[in-house]
Structure formats: C-alpha cells, structure tokens
Amino acid sequence: GNSVTQMEGPVTLSEEAFLTINCTYTATGYPSLFWYVQYPGEGLQLLLKATKADDKGSNKGFEATYRKETTSFHLEKGSVQVSDSAVYFCALYDSGAGSYQLTFGKGTKLSVIP
Amino acid sequence: DVKVTQSSRYLVKRTGEKVFLECVQDMDHENMFWYRQDPGLGLRLIYFSYDVKMKEKGDIPEGYSVSREKKERFSLILESASTNQTSMYLCASSLSDRGVVFGEGSRLTVL
C-alpha cells in the first residue's frame, strides 16, 4: 500500500535559518505529492504541490521537488520566520490505487524562535 | 474563497451521548472525508464519501458512522461517545488530485 514517511519533530530553528523537512513515499502508481501546513488552532492548508516527476512546487518561499528516483519530496525554505511556526504534513494522492484519499505523513512540528 | 465549514469548533460531551459533527462545502466537490488528528499519530481517515449516499470506511471507522444525503454536506456521527474519542476532527473535500481542502477542525472532548 501507499505510505509517507517524514522526519520526526519537533524542529526548532532560529529566525532566518535554512529549513529542510524530509519526506519520502511509497506508492503503487504515479502519485501527486503535497505539503500541507497547520497553524496553531487551525485546520490544514495546502502549501504546495507537484503532480509529476521533476516538478517543483513553491509557495510563500517554500519549495519542494518531486524526485522519482529517490521517492522524495523534501520541503525547503531559505530563511524561516517566526510566522512559519506550524505543523507540516507531507501527503500523496495516488489515482492509480483507485482511491480518492490522501495518505499523510505524521507531521513535523516547526518552532522558529526570534 | 472556497470553503469547508465545520459546524462547531469546540464541543464537550458526556460518555454515552450521541454526537453529530456537521460539515458543509461550497465547491461542488464529489469527495468528502472525515479525519481525526491526535498527537503523535498524525491524521487518520475515519470515513470518506465519493458521491451522495455513498460511503467507504477509512482506517479507523469503529465507533463512528457517517451520512451524506446532499452533495455539499457530510456528517460524522458518534452513536455513543467514549473518552477515547476525545480528539480533533477534521473534515475535508476534494476534486480528484487538485488537492484536498480542509475545514478548521472540531475539537471534541468527551468526559
């Protein structure tokens, strides 16, 4: 079956530090990949996505590249801000699996300190 | 803005009570989902629906049921709430692989 593995948290960084959150996946077909963000007390919001190999998703300074050869979709940001403190979820959607649901990683909590 | 609206942000119920969590989307999406979110366990799918009156069990359906009488509305029902159902419940909807849109969540406490 499908699965998503992302790095354990929590991650604590100083403001303006470089961020990487690792995400790897297992899928039976050719999935679309997503990063979602959950700010404190809120639901999940789509941060970025990539639908095929070598695509790069980007939004709000965050980037992730769909790497089929390493089955990875790592999230990066060059300079984090306090406002980026949140929980980040990697997810995949595999239409070839005949399902309509997303498979999520367990989430990585990021705390950015001034 | 497209929206998924959950009827209650916070609920407190007693063990054995029947609980309804309502969810409405305004995007004409076919697919709707109920997840629960717990610390250290991430998001776990309870039920999903890909059409009116259709429902499919997710990973943890025990103790829950759902209803989808209209396309825009997907309800989660706890027939007899228990303390281990204290959690954050997230409703979502989607249109194929364009990404899933989530509501803001309903935090349920069962005493």
Side-chain angles (χ1 to χ4, degrees):
Chain A
N2 296 336
S3 67
V4 174
T5 303
Q6 60 182 103
M7 63 187 287
E8 301 265 340
V11 174
T12 302
L13 294 173
S14 297
E15 207 164 21
E16 299 184 3
F18 184 84
L19 168 71
T20 300
I21 301 178
N22 290 338
C23 171
T24 57
Y25 68 89
T26 303
T28 54
Y30 299 95
S32 296
L33 301 173
F34 305 84
W35 276 101
Y36 282 82
V37 58
Q38 185 179 34
Y39 298 104
E42 298 183 13
L44 275 71
Q45 302 174 26
L46 179 64
L47 180 60
L48 53 85
K49 70 175 185 179
T51 58
K52 61 183 188 295
D54 300 325
D55 269 3
K56 178 186 281 189
S58 61
N59 186 24
K60 298 182 181 180
F62 291 89
E63 293 182 341
T65 301
Y66 189 145
R67 302 283 188 203
K68 188 179 176 185
E69 64 276 12
T70 54
T71 62
S72 65
F73 192 55
H74 304 322
L75 182 68
E76 296 181 337
K77 186 174 185 182
S79 176
V80 294
Q81 306 300 313
V82 172
S83 57
D84 293 326
S85 297
V87 181
Y88 293 82
F89 293 90
C90 185
L92 71 82
Y93 173 83
D94 184 0
S95 60
S99 170
Y100 302 92
Q101 59 175 290
L102 286 178
T103 301
F104 284 90
K106 291 190 176 181
T108 302
K109 184 176 182 179
L110 170 66
S111 297
V112 180
I113 53 177
Chain B
D1 260 357
V2 293
K3 274 190 92 166
V4 175
T5 303
Q6 295 184 229
S7 55
S8 304
R9 292 294 305 276
Y10 301 95
L11 302 95
V12 179
K13 299 292 182 180
R14 296 209 174 272
T15 301
E17 278 192 79
K18 190 169 186 176
V19 181
F20 292 88
L21 298 178
E22 304 284 344
C23 175
V24 177
Q25 51 98 359
D26 64 0
M27 296 162 284
D28 203 34
H29 286 172
E30 280 86 13
N31 309 320
M32 295 189 75
F33 310 85
W34 276 105
Y35 292 88
R36 66 177 281 177
Q37 182 181 14
D38 300 288
L41 298 176
L43 274 75
R44 294 180 291 169
L45 182 65
I46 304 171
Y47 268 96
F48 66 100
S49 168
Y50 53 88
D51 202 352
V52 176
K53 296 192 185 294
M54 304 299 288
K55 60 185 179 184
E56 295 284 343
K57 293 180 180 179
D59 300 318
I60 51 162
E62 297 78 18
Y64 303 94
S65 62
V66 291
S67 172
R68 192 161 181 206
E69 297 296 319
K70 294 185 178 181
K71 190 175 186 179
E72 67 270 19
R73 187 179 298 270
F74 191 38
S75 302
L76 180 69
I77 303 154
L78 289 66
E79 293 288 342
S80 178
S82 63
T83 54
N84 63 11
Q85 292 178 310
T86 292
S87 187
M88 169 71 89
Y89 291 89
L90 294 168
C91 177
S93 71
S94 78
L95 193 63
S96 70
D97 66 348
R98 297 182 190 177
V100 175
V101 180
F102 283 85
E104 294 203 343
S106 298
R107 185 167 293 282
L108 172 66
T109 301
V110 183
L111 302 175

